[in-house]
């Protein structure tokens, strides 16, 4: 047969299809009912393997017969032979017969929905476009996933009247919701739904739901009200529309009640004024007491030092010798101080002891304080033994000597902080390891200052 002169291998079928006059209506793997062809389909247009209409027909050079391009790979699995006359074939010589394919595309077909009334007839080339886009008798599922199935021509009717999943707008508040939620929206949610007054003040009156409470509270003539003189003894209750009559007829009684109430309030006010003065004097005395206690209370800081084993190891290796505490004050407006610790010791305690020091920092109230600083400072390494009775804290105390030589340590700070002073041999390393001074890799250092508060503002 000479249905086409192009000698292209089926391996190049994709390019051949692109250059052909379109594609058959159904997909390559979809079978089409042969009864849809207007005229009985000739045998030459049928694939001998799938017995459906040929799809991108591949022609054998040896015998001229054709098969679908989708059926062609089956021949390559065994010894290639023509399925019509069993002639041996060379699959490399087979080619897509584009001319014959165009001949098939020109055959007349009718819509598969013709039994439902579709009158469409055209060539096979246009079948797929008709079925996918144009056939009004094709069955489709609702695009809103409501589950309904119907002919395409009924889509708008379904959306306008039936689809429960269509989003509609409330005619009162314009809020958008699903059609199936319309009853629930109107029953519970719609803020603009017109409702009658529950007091039936006007049978024709309808009020938006979100304004109904205000109507009942401020406007409705049938709302039950309490006389505004209730707080002075009047217990009368009636509707809003009748309340003016009550006020007019009981004016004298209300006036007498007001006078009695004013007299009672005047006496109460005098008693409260006396009590208030007594309380103010008491608060003033307490404020002075609290201020005095704040000044003389021993100020202190408990300093938590974590990751002790790593830090002592680094200190012994010569890295990070000094640790500094948070700053603290001896009172609200007192001296500002900062403690420091050398875990591997400093000076005479280097390598054998933990050393502790204290520094006086520049503070906001220094101009009001006594100088030089001469209060006793006590350092503690706190024992963390679970048995409180067995605890034995390590202690070191120092009383500064306010001599001229110690001005850099104790004088009013000129820079951010003074030189530090303290104890180089505060705690032996061996002693720290003998008890529970270090627990969970954490130690606690307490610093207490014996400030009597007399020289503080």
């Amino acid at each position: 047969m000479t249905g086409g002169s192009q000698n292209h291998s089926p391996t190049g079928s994709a390019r051949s299809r692109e250059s052909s006059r379109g594609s058959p209506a159904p997909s390559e793997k979809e079978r089409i009912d042969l009864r849809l062809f207007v005229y009985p389909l000739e045998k030459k247009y049928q694939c001998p393997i799938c017995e459906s209409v040929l799809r991108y027909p591949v022609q054998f050079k040896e015998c001229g017969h054709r098969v679908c391009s989708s059926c062609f790979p089956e021949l390559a699995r065994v010894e290639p032979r023509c399925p019509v006359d069993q002639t041996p074939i060379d699959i490399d010589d087979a080619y897509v017969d584009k001319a014959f394919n165009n001949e098939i595309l020109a055959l007349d077909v009718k819509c598969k929905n013709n039994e439902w009334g579709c009158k469409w007839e055209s060539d096979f080339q246009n079948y797929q476009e008709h079925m996918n886009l144009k056939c009004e008798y094709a069955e489709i599922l609702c695009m809103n996933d409501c589950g309904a199935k119907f002919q395409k021509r009924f889509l708008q009717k379904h959306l306008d009247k039936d689809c429960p999943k269509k989003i509609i707008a409330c005619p009162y508040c314009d809020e958008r919701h699903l059609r199936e939620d319309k009853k629930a929206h109107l029953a519970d949610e719609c803020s603009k739904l017109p409702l009658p007054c529950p007091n039936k003040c006007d049978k024709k009156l309808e009020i938006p739901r979100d304004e109904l409470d205000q109507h009942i509270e401020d406007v409705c003539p049938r709302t039950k009200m309490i006389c505004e003189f209730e707080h002075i003894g009047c217990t009368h209750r009636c509707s809003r529309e009748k309340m003016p009559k009550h006020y007019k007829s009981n004016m004298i009684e209300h006036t007498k009640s007001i006078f009695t109430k004013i007299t009672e309030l005047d006496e109460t006010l005098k008693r409260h004024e006396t009590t208030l003065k007594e309380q103010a004097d008491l608060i003033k005395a307490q404020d002075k007491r609290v201020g005095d206690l704040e000044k003389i209370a021993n100020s202190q800081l408990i300093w938590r030092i974590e990751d002790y084993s790593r830090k002592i190891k680094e200190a012994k290796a010569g890295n990070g010798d000094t640790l500094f505490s948070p700053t603290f004050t001896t009172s609200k407006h007192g001296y500002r101080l900062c403690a420091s610790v050398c875990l591997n010791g400093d000076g005479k305690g280097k390598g054998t002891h933990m050393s502790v020091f204290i520094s006086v920092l520049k503070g906001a109230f220094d101009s009001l304080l006594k100088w030089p600083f001469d209060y006793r400072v006590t350092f503690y390494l706190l024992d963390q033994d679970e048995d409180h009775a067995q605890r034995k804290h390590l202690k070191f105390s120092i009383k500064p000597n306010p001599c001229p030589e110690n001005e850099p340590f104790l004088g009013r700070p000129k820079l951010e902080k003074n030189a530090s002073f303290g104890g180089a041999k505060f705690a032996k390393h061996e002693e720290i390891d003998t008890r529970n001074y270090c627990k969970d890799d954490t130690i606690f250092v307490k610093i207490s200052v014996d400030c009597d508060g007399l020289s503080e503002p």
Side-chain angles (χ1 to χ4, degrees):
M1 300 179 71
T2 59
S5 60
Q6 298 92 331
N7 188 17
H8 296 293
S9 169
T11 57
S13 59
R15 290 188 299 274
S16 300
R17 293 171 199 163
E18 292 173 2
S19 59
S20 66
R21 188 174 65 89
S23 59
S27 63
E28 192 170 304
K29 295 183 179 180
E30 181 184 350
R31 288 177 176 268
I32 182 172
D33 190 340
L34 301 183
R35 292 175 297 178
L36 296 181
F37 287 89
V38 175
Y39 304 103
L41 190 66
E42 295 182 44
K43 200 71 175 177
K44 67 177 180 177
Y45 297 131
Q46 290 182 251
C47 174
I49 295 179
C50 68
E51 298 184 345
S52 184
V53 63
L54 284 164
R55 217 73 54 79
Y56 303 108
V58 177
Q59 188 173 35
F60 307 132
K61 184 177 180 180
E62 291 79 4
C63 62
H65 293 124
R66 302 175 180 84
V67 297
C68 295
S69 60
S70 59
C71 296
F72 181 76
E74 294 184 19
L75 300 176
R77 297 181 186 141
V78 294
E79 182 179 354
R81 290 180 178 275
C82 173
V84 178
D85 56 14
Q86 298 302 309
T87 300
I89 60 175
D90 186 344
I91 61 174
D92 292 331
D93 289 337
Y95 59 92
V96 176
D97 191 343
K98 293 191 289 183
F100 196 70
N101 183 59
N102 291 336
E103 187 178 327
I104 294 172
L105 294 177
L107 295 174
D108 292 328
V109 293
K110 54 189 174 182
C111 177
K112 74 175 183 179
N113 295 314
N114 65 90
E115 59 183 307
W116 299 107
C118 184
K119 303 299 184 182
W120 179 86
E121 287 187 8
S122 185
D123 54 37
F124 193 26
Q125 166 75 25
N126 299 318
Y127 180 82
Q128 190 71 47
E129 180 183 6
H130 169 75
M131 293 306 302
N132 288 346
L133 304 175
K134 297 181 177 180
C135 183
E136 293 294 316
Y137 292 83
E139 280 198 331
I140 60 173
L141 286 171
C142 176
M143 63 187 70
N144 292 329
D145 293 329
C146 73
K149 191 175 183 180
F150 42 80
Q151 291 181 358
K152 187 176 180 181
R153 60 194 176 121
F154 297 128
L155 173 61
Q156 198 59 47
K157 177 184 176 183
H158 170 76
L159 293 177
D160 292 343
K161 296 184 178 181
D162 303 322
C163 181
K165 300 295 183 183
K166 182 181 178 182
I167 296 177
I168 61 174
C170 173
Y172 303 110
C173 67
D174 292 329
E175 182 178 323
R176 300 176 70 80
H177 54 266
L178 298 178
R179 177 180 277 121
E180 64 184 0
D181 296 332
K182 179 179 179 180
K183 288 184 178 180
H185 170 73
L186 292 177
D188 303 317
E189 300 173 9
C190 181
S191 61
K192 299 300 181 182
L193 179 70
L195 296 173
C197 173
N199 293 330
K200 300 179 181 179
C201 64
D202 186 341
K203 293 182 179 180
K204 297 181 179 180
L205 180 65
E206 288 192 332
I207 307 164
R209 176 181 274 140
D210 61 352
E211 299 176 14
L212 190 58
D213 288 344
Q214 183 181 5
H215 166 78
I216 295 171
E217 185 70 23
D218 301 331
V219 179
C220 181
R222 294 191 179 182
T223 298
K224 294 295 183 182
M225 297 181 64
I226 301 172
C227 176
E228 63 184 32
F229 296 102
E230 179 193 26
H231 63 287
I232 59 172
C234 184
T235 59
H236 184 77
R237 293 171 180 262
C238 64
S239 63
R240 177 179 277 110
E241 61 187 353
K242 294 180 180 180
M243 190 58 72
K245 181 179 179 181
H246 165 72
Y247 290 146
K248 184 176 180 179
S249 60
N250 290 272
M251 186 180 301
I252 296 175
E253 287 78 6
H254 289 163
T255 303
K256 289 180 179 179
S257 298
I258 292 172
F259 178 78
T260 302
K261 193 68 175 179
I262 290 175
T263 302
E264 293 174 355
L265 290 175
D266 185 57
E267 294 175 356
T268 302
L269 182 60
K270 290 178 180 179
R271 291 196 301 270
H272 285 175
E273 286 178 347
T274 302
T275 303
L276 184 61
K277 186 176 183 306
E278 293 173 353
Q279 294 296 325
D281 292 341
L282 180 61
I283 291 173
K284 185 176 180 180
Q286 292 297 331
D287 281 345
K288 185 177 184 305
R289 178 179 174 83
V290 170
D292 292 342
L293 289 174
E294 185 182 62
K295 287 184 176 182
I296 64 174
N298 288 344
S299 59
Q300 66 179 29
L301 168 72
I302 296 181
W303 180 13
R304 176 188 175 97
I305 302 176
E306 300 177 340
D307 203 10
Y308 173 76
S309 57
R310 178 183 64 79
K311 290 175 180 176
I312 184 66
K313 184 177 179 181
E314 290 179 352
K316 289 181 178 180
N319 300 321
D321 273 352
T322 305
L323 303 178
F324 294 94
S325 78
T327 61
F328 65 103
T329 57
T330 57
S331 66
K332 185 176 180 180
H333 305 108
Y335 298 93
R336 183 165 168 257
L337 306 172
C338 176
S340 59
V341 166
C342 295
L343 297 180
N344 194 40
D346 184 67
K348 295 180 179 180
K350 186 74 172 180
T352 58
H353 289 71
M354 177 194 296
S355 302
V356 291
F357 303 95
I358 192 80
S359 296
V360 180
L361 307 182
K362 181 180 287 187
F365 305 98
D366 288 352
S367 62
L368 305 178
L369 301 174
K370 182 190 77 170
W371 300 100
F373 177 87
D374 61 354
Y375 298 104
R376 180 176 295 278
V377 180
T378 305
F379 298 90
Y380 301 87
L381 181 61
L382 300 182
D383 191 340
Q384 302 177 56
D385 196 303
E386 292 184 2
D387 185 352
H388 285 227
Q390 298 298 319
R391 290 182 177 178
K392 185 179 179 181
H393 305 314
L394 293 181
K395 175 181 176 181
F396 169 77
S397 182
I398 182 171
K399 180 71 168 68
N401 180 10
C403 62
E405 292 79 5
N406 288 334
E407 178 70 17
F409 301 91
L410 309 177
R412 179 178 174 181
K414 295 180 175 59
L415 302 177
E416 179 58 27
K417 78 173 192 173
N418 286 349
S420 58
F421 60 93
K425 294 185 177 182
F426 171 52
K428 290 183 179 180
H429 290 162
E430 295 83 356
E431 193 172 6
I432 295 174
D433 297 334
T434 58
R435 299 185 61 81
N436 290 303
Y437 297 113
C438 181
K439 193 172 185 180
D440 297 327
D441 208 22
T442 301
I443 63 173
F444 290 93
V445 176
K446 176 180 175 182
I447 304 97
S448 178
V449 182
D450 297 333
C451 187
D452 58 14
L454 297 178
S455 59
E456 294 192 17

